[in-house]
């Protein structure tokens, strides 16, 4: 195996390890998750994992567009690797999900650049657990 191949393998391994990094948050602390990212939330004696898994709806007005309707947004999150919840700013989907007597609230959905509006892989969400 030549030197370039070894360096490539090492760099790929480091990037994989760094991309799996999970941030830890407490109650009543707003946090952001990029698409497919997981965070750990300390809730009393428990540690919950919260993962952003899907942008289920995005009908809000895109940047620099003129709309007569504000639109709606909804996302799917996964809690503790198996519980699925859809939360949103939507007339039929609530902006929070109750789990073990705590509320997980969606505070916002944003994109890294205006041109990426509506593209799931470029989105991030803001959540708070209280």
């Amino acid at each position: 195996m030549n030197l370039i191949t070894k360096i490539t393998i090492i760099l790929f391994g480091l990037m994989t390890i760094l991309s799996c990094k999970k941030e830890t948050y407490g109650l009543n602390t707003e946090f952001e998750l990029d698409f497919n990212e997981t965070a750990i939330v300390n809730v009393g004696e428990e540690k919950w994992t919260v993962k952003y898994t899907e942008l289920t709806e995005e009908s809000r007005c895109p940047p620099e567009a003129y709309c007569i309707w504000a639109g709606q947004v909804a996302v799917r999150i996964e809690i503790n690797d198996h519980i699925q919840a859809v939360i949103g700013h939507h007339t039929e989907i609530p902006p929070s999900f109750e789990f073990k007597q705590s509320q997980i609230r969606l505070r916002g959905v944003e994109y890294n650049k205006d041109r990426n509006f509506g593209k799931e892989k470029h989105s991030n969400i803001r959540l708070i657990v209280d």
Side-chain angles (χ1 to χ4, degrees):
M1 192 179 324
N2 66 28
L3 181 60
I4 292 175
T5 304
K6 289 179 184 178
I7 291 172
T8 302
I9 291 170
I10 290 170
L11 288 176
F12 180 76
L14 286 173
M15 288 176 17
T16 302
I17 290 168
L18 291 175
S19 69
C20 294
K21 180 181 172 210
K22 296 178 184 175
E23 294 289 331
T24 302
Y25 302 94
L27 284 174
N28 303 311
T29 303
E30 188 173 287
F31 59 96
E32 289 187 14
L33 289 175
D34 290 331
F35 176 68
N36 265 340
E37 185 178 24
T38 302
I40 298 169
V41 181
N42 291 322
V43 182
E45 300 293 318
E46 295 183 31
K47 290 187 184 296
W48 296 356
T49 59
V50 180
K51 182 178 182 179
Y52 170 31
T53 61
E54 183 182 358
L55 177 67
T56 61
E57 181 179 353
E58 176 60 276
S59 63
R60 297 178 300 170
C61 194
E64 300 183 28
Y66 296 100
C67 303
I68 59 170
W69 181 57
Q72 305 176 130
V73 65
V75 300
R76 182 180 312 277
I77 58 172
E78 185 178 272
I79 307 157
N80 292 344
D81 298 323
H82 66 282
I83 296 170
Q84 301 275 323
V86 176
I87 53 179
H89 297 178
H90 193 287
T91 56
E92 298 172 13
I93 298 172
S96 65
F97 177 73
E98 185 172 336
F99 181 68
K100 294 188 175 185
Q101 300 171 340
S102 290
Q103 292 288 321
I104 302 170
R105 300 180 194 281
L106 178 65
R107 304 290 289 220
V109 178
E110 298 170 359
Y111 301 92
N112 61 356
K113 296 179 183 164
D114 284 353
R115 72 172 187 253
N116 290 330
F117 182 83
K119 296 178 182 174
E120 182 178 70
K121 69 180 182 177
H122 296 287
S123 63
N124 70 58
I125 62 174
R126 289 189 334 271
L127 299 171
I128 190 167
V129 178
D130 53 21

